[in-house]
Amino acid sequence: MPTSIKHLSRRKLLAVTAAATAAAVGLAGCSNSSSNPGSAPAAAVSQADIDKAMTTPTTLTFWTWVPNIDKEVALFQAKYPAIKVNVVNAGQGSDAYTKLRTALKAGKGAPDLAQIEYQYIPTFSITKSLVDLRPYGAAANQAKFVDWTWNQVTGPGGEILAYPQDTGPMGMLYRADLFEKYGIGVPKTWDDFAAAARKLHAADPKVYLTDMAANEAAAWHGLMWQAGAKPYTVDGSTVGLAVNDPASKKVADYWGTLAKEGVIATDPDFTDTWFQGFSSGKYATWLTAAWGPVFLSGSAKTTAGKWRAAPLPQWDSAKPASGNWGGSTTAVVKGTQNPIAAAKFAEFLNTDPATASMFNTVQNFFPATKALLADPAFAGQKSAFFGDQPVNELFAGIGGTVDSAWQWPPFLDQSVKDWTETAGTALANKADVAAATDQWQSRLTAYAKDQGFTVQGG
Amino acid sequence: MAVEAHGVRQRPGFHRPGRLAGRGRPPSPAGGPSIRRSFAITTTTSAAPVAAHRRRPRAGQGNRGYVFVAPFLLCFLLLFILPLGYAAYLSLFKDQLVGGTVFVGLENYVRAVKDTQLLGGVLRVAVFFAIQVPIMLVVALGAALAIDSGLLRFANVFRLGIFIPYAVPSVVAALMWGYLYGPDFGPLAQLGDRLGFTAPDLLSGLSMLPSLGNIVTWEFAGYNMIILYAALRTVPADRYEAAAVDGAGAWRTAWHIKIPALRPALLLCLIFSVIGSFQLFAEPNLIQRLAPTVITSSYTPNLYAYSLAFTSQQLNYAAAVSFLLGLVILVVSYAVLFTASRGPRR
């Protein structure tokens, strides 16, 4: 990311790019063809065109699963009464993506905007399904967002493919009462954590230090991220695959060993069993993301006040690191008739201080904007569920330790499926998880080659 | 008691439709297809049947028949043949994330035949069919005979009770059973916890197929029961009379009259079950959330096709897999029909 862009104001940037490509001005706004080139610099849209578009009566369709998002949408419509935003809940996560993919394949029925998680952006950008937001002044917003999130929404050719909405830097929630009862200190390193797992389970065979869900590829990826793994690199039609690189194997071996010893649980997460596990005290920690604290306080009410939060245990305590799990973005979908209005809506929704803060207060999203993360009203919030600990402040700090270089593959669904059927299954069956990552690698490599990619490291 | 059942049977409205149609049918001089014959009969009874005049109306009415089947044919074409043709067309291509779509002929089929994941899924549903279907049909048959015997006190309640699971959407059924099977919170697990034994894990690799079989039996035994029961109601009353005269009790009547009479209906149930078993999808798809490492994406062939199409984005290969699955179902259905028609007739 060129740092100079950070210091340019939006107006200046627009003026520069607009002057450079004056002849093409407006064309991008009217064209609905999919001629937007992948990495070639796109023509900027003039302020006049933007003003015109934002005052022309327009209806935008927005697929999102975010509950009560009409509150944020109402703020946009109050400012731009000409633009009507039609919010459609097309399902959450995979369900929504399947519908979106189907609509895109069919060539009609796709929305103007869609909620897309960070990890799925390459999956949609490989099919050129997302509009590059640079012509609509997106680059000027870079400085507003946490650094690693901006990297996540940036394509291989520098395209800006979405606006970050919320994030999930990973930390550890733990039962302070159980730790105290069994004489366990808060683990600072993964070695501490393993020792604590053995000690706790020996003291009470019904309690596990944590549940490493054998179906949760997303959390696993977050832990790979923390360990410094670089499983995926994407450059156009060339992908580098190394889901069994040394850092990934270190993670696999670590959890595989604990699972084999039976000192951690591997129950599938977000199931009734799992919810019950938190209420009954079966799991003493949850390695989760920044959205986890609010989620847990809603689903394990009976344990209120007993929980505390801490950073993840570290591989190298001198260099604290974390990964990200979850969070999503707003992207403009290729084929929209109103790219200017759509791009401006996505920008407003995620950069306006009022909506950004509303996402935190109404939807309990963990913010992606630096301003809100630093806001004392946000960071200072104390949660009774966590014994009045300022949990937000902790996770805001953790967010700064997330490595920006992490990349996702353009076929994440396949990787998740292959992980579940190799490493995840090995974890559940107390088999050799590190060896299973080799199978993961070979299955994924075969898939990538079959899909026409040039595979490096396969 | 058998006499009571008898009385019920003779109520009007429960006559066998075949008998009505057959009654009064004049011996036809022409040996044409029977459908045509009955068409001619119903319309020409009042007119004096002269051989030369019978030809024309028959031909005209033959065309008119198509008008009646047109709505069905249209739906059949639009909703079945057309998508089928499109899927067949799709299965001849390969769409890559990089490189786009190319015609590959039968490559997808060659690949599918050699695909161990697909083969594993087909074998799994075959085992499922071989074990679950006989159990389900025995349950359905027993229930149908019990209701038909007239010996049940609350036959209507029983009939409704066993049929209701079929009215429950399979999604709801799978969710409900998923809860009942739950390893920590399910009733069995909790009972085990109270009584101090470890309840068997009903969602483990070994017990998954029986657990799914239980759900499917619960869902569809009632459906099959209704088919069998309806078939029982069409058994001519004189056969029961004859059996009663010969001194047959309820059991003997069931064994020697009712079950042989149910042969065609049982065959129908069996064919439905072949299709249902080999296309098993909703139940494993939902239970997958509870046991993600047991129910893999290729656990059943349909699940595999779904995952290929929507997870792996290999729509073309999924189409080929679906076609092969259809072929397998066709072959198994014919095998069932063939063995059944060759079986001993009572």
Side-chain angles (χ1 to χ4, degrees):
Chain A
M1 215 49 36
T3 44
S4 58
I5 290 178
K6 274 188 186 173
H7 306 295
L8 281 174
S9 78
R10 181 160 97 211
R11 193 166 288 273
K12 256 189 211 159
L13 184 82
L14 274 173
V16 170
T17 41
T21 54
V25 161
L27 276 182
C30 307
S31 146
N32 67 333
S33 71
S34 49
S35 60
N36 218 339
S39 54
V45 175
S46 75
Q47 190 60 43
D49 279 334
I50 292 173
D51 292 343
K52 182 165 170 262
M54 300 314 281
T55 48
T56 310
T58 307
T59 301
L60 297 173
T61 306
F62 178 25
W63 283 7
T64 175
W65 56 79
V66 175
N68 300 317
I69 198 165
D70 39 329
K71 294 194 172 153
E72 285 85 0
V73 169
L75 292 183
F76 174 78
Q77 287 181 333
K79 192 171 174 194
Y80 301 101
I83 316 279
K84 187 182 176 310
V85 180
N86 194 4
V87 174
V88 177
N89 185 349
Q92 180 154 11
S94 303
D95 295 342
Y97 303 141
T98 301
K99 278 184 198 151
L100 183 57
R101 224 175 265 145
T102 310
L104 285 164
K105 268 223 162 86
K108 68 180 195 193
D112 298 287
L113 298 120
Q115 189 89 22
I116 294 181
E117 292 156 284
Y118 295 101
Q119 65 268 32
Y120 281 94
I121 289 175
T123 298
F124 283 99
S125 67
I126 188 78
T127 52
K128 301 202 172 19
S129 306
L130 305 180
V131 172
D132 182 4
L133 300 173
R134 282 178 300 180
Y136 314 102
N141 292 302
Q142 178 175 3
K144 293 178 188 161
F145 292 99
V146 176
D147 296 346
W148 68 265
T149 64
W150 199 255
N151 235 41
Q152 293 273 298
V153 298
T154 305
E159 311 92 325
I160 297 165
L161 300 165
Y163 280 102
Q165 186 161 85
D166 66 313
T167 61
M170 287 181 77
M172 177 177 73
L173 307 180
Y174 65 96
R175 283 281 294 269
D177 60 324
L178 292 179
F179 273 32
E180 195 174 337
K181 184 175 167 191
Y182 296 106
I184 292 168
V186 179
K188 296 268 187 284
T189 66
W190 286 114
D191 284 342
D192 295 349
F193 188 85
R198 293 178 183 116
K199 185 175 175 188
L200 181 63
H201 191 65
D204 185 345
K206 282 193 162 180
V207 181
Y208 297 92
L209 182 59
T210 199
D211 176 46
M212 190 64 223
N215 65 323
E216 196 48 84
W220 187 272
H221 275 92
L223 293 173
M224 282 166 68
W225 193 333
Q226 185 211 17
K230 297 273 184 297
Y232 315 109
T233 48
V234 189
D235 183 13
S237 62
T238 303
V239 289
L241 294 175
V243 295
N244 58 350
D245 71 0
S248 303
K249 275 215 165 142
K250 180 173 70 177
V251 173
D253 195 42
Y254 179 83
W255 291 105
T257 304
L258 291 181
K260 208 181 243 173
E261 290 175 26
V263 296
I264 56 157
T266 55
D267 306 330
D269 60 0
F270 302 100
T271 60
D272 290 340
T273 303
W274 181 80
F275 283 113
Q276 168 99 356
F278 283 118
S279 299
S280 68
K282 182 180 175 186
Y283 317 129
T285 71
W286 183 23
L287 305 177
T288 186
W291 42 262
V294 174
F295 184 88
L296 190 66
S297 63
S299 51
K301 291 197 178 84
T302 52
T303 56
K306 296 175 178 167
W307 291 87
R308 298 290 181 276
L312 282 182
Q314 296 296 323
W315 292 106
D316 178 358
S317 45
K319 280 185 280 178
S322 185
N324 183 69
W325 173 13
S328 58
T329 70
T330 313
V332 178
V333 179
K334 192 61 73 73
T336 173
Q337 303 288 318
N338 306 293
I340 299 179
K344 287 294 157 190
F345 170 68
E347 180 181 333
F348 179 90
L349 193 64
N350 300 302
T351 59
D352 187 83
T355 49
S357 116
M358 202 180 249
F359 274 125
N360 176 246
T361 53
V362 176
Q363 281 91 0
N364 292 310
F365 279 177
F366 196 78
T369 59
K370 287 176 182 165
L372 189 55
L373 285 167
D375 186 344
F378 166 78
Q381 269 173 37
K382 293 192 168 91
S383 162
F385 190 84
F386 292 91
D388 286 337
Q389 186 184 0
V391 175
N392 286 346
E393 193 175 23
L394 175 85
F395 277 96
I398 292 173
T401 67
V402 174
D403 180 15
S404 289
W406 176 275
Q407 285 188 306
W408 295 102
F411 34 75
L412 185 70
D413 277 336
Q414 184 67 31
S415 191
V416 166
K417 174 168 124 178
D418 287 339
W419 177 83
T420 312
E421 292 179 6
T422 57
T425 304
L427 190 68
N429 296 343
K430 304 187 194 307
D432 188 341
V433 185
T437 60
D438 292 335
Q439 293 168 32
W440 181 18
Q441 171 76 6
S442 65
R443 282 179 63 157
L444 199 56
T445 305
Y447 175 82
K449 283 182 177 159
D450 186 57
Q451 287 294 328
F453 288 95
T454 308
V455 181
Q456 288 175 343
Chain B
M1 284 305 231
V3 178
E4 263 180 48
H6 227 120
V8 174
R9 188 172 309 284
Q10 283 173 337
R11 264 184 316 186
F14 278 95
H15 287 292
R16 191 173 155 208
R19 260 204 285 171
L20 274 180
R23 192 191 299 157
R25 179 192 294 171
S28 166
S34 60
I35 293 173
R36 279 219 175 165
R37 218 191 294 158
S38 56
F39 258 98
I41 289 155
T42 47
T43 51
T44 55
T45 37
S46 54
V50 182
H53 280 98
R54 283 182 67 170
R55 247 171 203 246
R56 204 176 293 168
R58 217 201 275 168
Q61 269 135 13
N63 288 340
R64 208 171 291 168
Y66 289 113
V67 177
F68 282 100
V69 295
F72 164 76
L73 267 185
L74 197 70
C75 289
F76 186 69
L77 274 176
L78 282 178
L79 302 176
F80 188 76
I81 298 293
L82 209 67
L84 206 66
Y86 184 58
Y89 169 79
L90 278 183
S91 71
L92 303 176
F93 291 84
K94 181 174 185 180
D95 183 17
Q96 293 174 304
L97 284 170
V98 177
T101 308
V102 281
F103 179 80
V104 293
L106 295 177
E107 192 191 293
N108 286 326
Y109 290 93
V110 174
R111 182 178 159 196
V113 170
K114 289 190 267 184
D115 191 333
T116 50
Q117 284 184 291
L118 176 62
L119 192 68
V122 170
L123 286 179
R124 188 174 285 112
V125 289
V127 169
F128 182 87
F129 168 75
I131 296 170
Q132 184 265 335
V133 171
I135 294 173
M136 176 177 69
L137 291 186
V138 165
V139 169
L141 182 65
L145 288 174
I147 296 168
D148 192 65
S149 72
L151 296 169
L152 290 179
R153 191 171 284 231
F154 298 106
N156 285 341
V157 177
F158 179 73
R159 188 174 58 187
L160 190 67
I162 198 167
F163 185 70
I164 272 185
Y166 178 66
V168 174
S170 55
V171 173
V172 177
L175 289 176
M176 187 190 84
W177 280 101
Y179 165 75
L180 293 176
Y181 291 156
D184 276 339
F185 54 87
L188 189 66
Q190 289 195 348
L191 190 73
D193 202 37
R194 289 275 166 80
L195 300 180
F197 68 91
T198 310
D201 184 358
L202 296 172
L203 298 173
S204 73
L206 270 179
S207 54
M208 184 55 81
L209 215 52
S211 295
L212 287 173
N214 179 48
I215 301 177
V216 174
T217 305
W218 180 83
E219 281 177 303
F220 290 99
Y223 171 73
N224 288 297
M225 181 273 289
I226 288 289
I227 296 179
L228 297 176
Y229 178 65
L232 275 178
R233 309 286 331 192
T234 68
V235 175
D238 44 15
R239 291 202 196 164
Y240 293 113
E241 274 164 25
V245 167
D246 286 351
W251 286 107
R252 276 190 88 96
T253 311
W255 187 251
H256 288 289
I257 310 274
K258 295 184 178 180
I259 294 183
L262 283 178
R263 252 185 96 86
L266 274 169
L267 200 59
L268 181 75
C269 292
L270 205 58
I271 296 296
F272 282 167
S273 303
V274 170
I275 298 169
S277 299
F278 280 82
Q279 295 203 342
L280 197 63
F281 176 75
E283 293 80 7
N285 187 34
L286 283 150
I287 300 290
Q288 192 173 40
R289 285 165 204 221
L290 301 177
T293 54
V294 175
I295 298 189
T296 58
S297 62
S298 55
Y299 196 76
T300 73
N302 243 359
L303 211 54
Y304 186 46
Y306 178 82
S307 130
L308 284 173
F310 295 111
T311 305
S312 306
Q313 301 188 55
Q314 294 168 324
L315 213 60
N316 308 88
Y317 185 48
V321 164
S322 305
F323 255 89
L324 278 185
L325 176 63
L327 197 69
V328 168
I329 292 173
L330 206 69
V331 168
V332 175
S333 300
Y334 267 100
V336 166
L337 275 175
F338 186 67
T339 46
S341 64
R342 270 171 54 111
R345 289 193 176 274
R346 284 177 197 276

